[in-house]
Amino acid sequence: MVVIVDTVSTTPVRPRHPEKVNRPDALSPPKPDWIRVRAPTTRGYADTRNIVKENGLVTVCEEAGCPNIGECWDKKHATFMIMGDTCTRACAFCNVKTGMPAALDATEPEHVAEATFKLGLKHVVVTSVDRDDLADGGARHFAQTIRAIRARCPDTTIEILTPDFLRKDGALEIVATAKPDVFNHNLETVPSRYLSVRPGARYFHSIRLLQRVKEIDPTIFTKSGIMVGLGEERHEVLQVMDDLRSADVDFLTIGQYLQPTRKHHAVMRYVTPDEFAGYEKVAYTKGFLMVSASPLTRSSHHAGEDFERLQAARAALPQ
């Protein structure tokens, strides 16, 4: 008997991160016990997954390999990722697929709105891949999605997590004037780590973007977050807090960086829960209305509950 193996006509599988394929493996230390989470197996998780798939949507929960997906999806909390599943940048920390994205789906805003309705979300989080290929970086698509959710779910509050719209004049203004309730843009790391962790971005551009949101509409809550464990020093984290407060940012998140694959940036250190508690205490003394700092903190984790606390904190401020 002869077995013929066709090695010519079969289309090869494109790697998820082609720019990282030839990099040497970066080894991280073993995860400590406080990082471990249970695999998602609940009925609520399955129901959420079905609604996401039925509407042809992408979630950052899946694409970025979020460790909290089981907990959030069990409660029917999903973070929608618009404008496709392929990012035009190749950050060293991120698990989202990289390459040249497909054209925008004009029906996507309506599908996001419908999924928001079916999940019964009181607070929805919408993020996106970077779309440097688009003239406005996808700003109009963000605005259309916000308006579609408002029309379908008028009582739902909306949080967006945007790219930096670098070199896209007027893009930020398009998104901010659509009036999301929370405008989130993550710094991701301290300035000294940008070249190796977030080389396509500019730290002070991101600070200015957050500041500009408040200039356009002071009623919009602003939010930003960083990862730790990438080689930063404590004093650098404290400086980031000061920079964000100078831009009048309301909400800070700090979480542990986790390495998606061996081709991504290594974890340099696992920060202890006590250190996270210390960061949270310092951040509140610097004037943030809301702080979430823990090993498993992520931008949209407990976003609905945190939004209610944000509102309460603002209402308690001296008039």
Side-chain angles (χ1 to χ4, degrees), residues 13 15 26 28 34 92 126 171 178 190 192 207 209 212 215 247 272 275-276 293:
V13 178
S28 296
W34 63 76
V126 180
V190 301
S192 68
I207 292 287
L209 179 144
R212 179 71 182 128
E215 292 172 355
T272 68
E275 289 176 273
F276 277 106

Side-chain angles (χ1 to χ4, degrees), residues 4-14:
I4 299 175
V5 179
D6 184 353
T7 62
V8 177
S9 61
T10 302
T11 303
V13 178
R14 182 186 181 277

Side-chain angles (χ1 to χ4, degrees), residues 62-247:
E62 296 169 291
E63 296 301 315
C66 180
N68 302 313
I69 187 171
E71 176 192 348
C72 293
W73 281 29
D74 181 50
K75 299 175 183 176
K76 291 190 166 70
H77 295 169
T79 297
F80 301 115
M81 190 168 76
I82 59 175
M83 295 188 268
D85 64 356
T86 304
C87 186
T88 54
R89 297 193 192 174
C91 296
F93 67 88
C94 186
N95 196 41
V96 174
K97 186 165 62 175
T98 57
M100 180 53 69
L104 292 180
D105 177 1
T107 67
E108 185 176 49
E110 299 298 332
H111 287 304
V112 171
E114 185 62 24
T116 301
F117 176 80
K118 288 181 177 178
L119 289 168
L121 297 178
K122 292 174 58 180
H123 185 83
V124 63
V125 183
V126 180
T127 187
S128 79
V129 291
D130 266 290
R131 291 298 302 257
D132 294 317
D133 59 310
L134 301 174
D136 67 352
R140 287 178 179 80
H141 202 75
F142 256 112
Q144 289 164 1
T145 302
I146 292 168
R147 294 186 182 107
I149 296 170
R150 290 265 186 251
R152 186 71 173 95
C153 309
D155 296 326
T156 298
T157 50
I158 301 171
E159 179 171 332
I160 58 170
L161 171 56
T162 76
D164 59 15
F165 301 117
L166 190 63
R167 291 183 286 275
K168 309 292 182 183
D169 290 344
L172 169 65
E173 287 73 12
I174 291 170
V175 180
T177 53
K179 293 186 71 67
D181 296 282
V182 181
F183 193 113
N184 186 3
H185 171 65
N186 285 333
L187 297 180
E188 308 294 4
T189 188
V190 301
S192 68
R193 307 304 301 160
Y194 262 52
L195 188 60
S196 60
V197 174
R198 198 183 177 215
R202 300 294 179 268
Y203 176 80
F204 286 107
H205 170 83
S206 289
I207 292 287
R208 175 58 183 149
L209 179 144
L210 290 160
Q211 184 181 47
R212 179 71 182 128
V213 173
K214 283 291 191 183
E215 292 172 355
I216 295 169
D217 188 342
T219 67
I220 297 175
F221 287 106
T222 50
K223 178 177 176 180
S224 190
I226 63 168
M227 301 169 289
V228 289
L230 285 159
E232 72 290 330
E233 299 290 339
R234 175 179 168 80
H235 70 87
E236 294 181 294
V237 175
L238 302 186
Q239 183 62 58
V240 166
M241 293 181 190
D242 289 336
D243 292 342
L244 287 171
R245 286 302 301 136
S246 72

